[in-house]
Amino acid sequence: ARCSPSRASIMTGLYPHRHGVIDNNLRLAQHTICISDILCEQGYNCIYTGKWHLLGGMHKPNFVPPHRRHGFNRFIGSNVGHHKKYYRYIQNNDSPKQTNQYSTDGIVEDAIKMMEESGSTPFFSFISILDPHTPWSVRSPYDRMYDPTSMQLADNYINDIKLISEGPARERYKLVEERIADWIQGHSAQTREEAFQEIMAIYYGMISCIDENVGKILDWVQRRGMEEDTIILFTSDHGEFMSGHGL
């Protein structure tokens, strides 16, 4: 899966060939109806925090103007960018704000604050956490939570480009090779396999950080007594092979 096509499908309920976002960095047409457009018309407070990635272009990050937000009347985020320090645009201010707070923590904190501000108004909150994603880093204690030596490479792991047919898969393998080489230069890993293990340990750490923050959201819902009146969906736009097929 690819980021922008998946996001557009989640928002619209359409396949990529229907909504037109068939690859990353393509714009979702303004006339396309999203779930947020519908809920906004029904009186919901529509809240968005985090990465948008439906504006088109490759600016990192990029201000999402109000008329491109498909009904979201409360918006704190940016179009693209995977900064580990929390970097976002707040509402209609096109000057970005950055803090030393870890992005996952900041996105969820802002989401909870805006949900709280909804009061008795029904809300739809789309919380778009950046992780797990490159660059491979995460805040303490998650950066050391998992032992790299305990990470098991995928059963279909390969370490020979000749086993991959010419085409997109081989080009992807070459890109991964470059990233692995960069990782080895800056970390303790000495081999390709050790590099994958270190990256996987960080990847799991990012997921555990997300888990902690999802717990904060669930705790907030419980404190508000909204467990029986709230629908919570947890999904992802894409993932990583994490050594599968050598990628």
Side-chain angles (χ1 to χ4, degrees):
R2 302 279 284 175
C3 180
S4 295
S6 295
R7 287 171 178 269
S9 291
I10 292 170
M11 293 284 285
T12 65
L14 301 173
Y15 287 110
H17 73 279
R18 295 291 305 279
H19 58 59
V21 184
I22 59 174
D23 203 351
N24 281 342
N25 306 312
L26 296 179
R27 176 172 292 186
L28 179 64
Q30 187 64 27
H31 66 265
T32 306
I33 297 175
C34 296
I35 184 173
S36 46
D37 292 308
I38 297 171
L39 292 177
C40 179
E41 291 181 353
Q42 297 301 314
Y44 279 72
N45 185 22
C46 292
I47 302 165
Y48 198 98
T49 48
K51 179 182 174 182
W52 181 252
H53 213 184
L54 294 173
L55 188 61
M58 298 190 63
H59 303 288
K60 297 184 178 181
N62 194 15
F63 177 69
V64 180
H67 69 280
R68 303 295 313 185
R69 296 175 185 170
H70 287 274
F72 286 102
N73 58 297
R74 301 295 306 279
F75 190 98
I76 297 181
S78 61
N79 186 45
V80 287
H82 298 100
H83 298 78
K84 297 300 178 173
K85 290 184 178 180
Y86 191 28
Y87 193 116
R88 79 279 198 212
Y89 296 89
I90 301 175
Q91 282 296 100
N92 300 332
N93 187 343
D94 61 2
S95 297
K97 304 294 183 182
Q98 185 169 20
T99 70
N100 289 323
Q101 189 176 24
Y102 191 69
S103 61
T104 300
D105 303 323
I107 289 169
V108 170
E109 182 178 297
D110 277 341
I112 292 175
K113 179 181 179 181
M114 288 193 288
M115 289 189 293
E116 185 72 43
E117 291 171 349
S118 292
S120 59
T121 303
F123 64 84
F124 168 59
S125 180
F126 197 115
I127 306 171
S128 182
I129 297 171
L130 310 181
D131 281 346
H133 202 288
T134 54
W136 305 125
S137 64
V138 66
R139 69 166 172 83
S140 175
Y142 300 105
D143 55 344
R144 297 183 181 276
M145 179 169 285
Y146 297 95
D147 179 8
T149 62
S150 68
M151 299 293 106
Q152 298 294 317
L153 299 184
D155 292 339
N156 59 359
Y157 171 77
I158 57 175
N159 189 10
D160 187 351
I161 195 171
K162 294 191 295 295
L163 298 175
I164 301 177
S165 302
E166 291 285 352
R170 178 170 286 202
E171 293 306 310
R172 182 67 180 176
Y173 189 95
K174 292 177 181 178
L175 175 61
V176 172
E177 287 289 84
E178 294 175 3
R179 291 179 175 176
I180 290 295
D182 290 342
W183 181 272
I184 290 175
Q185 286 185 354
H187 298 82
S188 61
Q190 299 296 312
T191 66
R192 191 174 192 270
E193 289 74 19
E194 289 176 356
F196 267 119
Q197 288 179 304
E198 290 182 357
I199 291 170
M200 291 169 70
I202 293 295
Y203 191 83
Y204 289 174
M206 287 189 277
I207 293 172
S208 290
C209 184
I210 293 171
D211 187 58
E212 174 195 320
N213 278 277
V214 170
K216 293 176 183 177
I217 298 168
L218 299 179
D219 288 344
W220 178 83
V221 170
Q222 185 177 41
R223 289 197 304 272
R224 288 287 302 270
M226 299 166 54
E227 304 100 309
E228 302 300 322
D229 195 31
T230 303
I231 298 173
I232 299 174
L233 303 177
F234 183 89
T235 188
S236 176
D237 57 350
H238 66 82
E240 299 287 342
F241 281 101
M242 287 290 106
S243 81
H245 302 287
L247 301 175

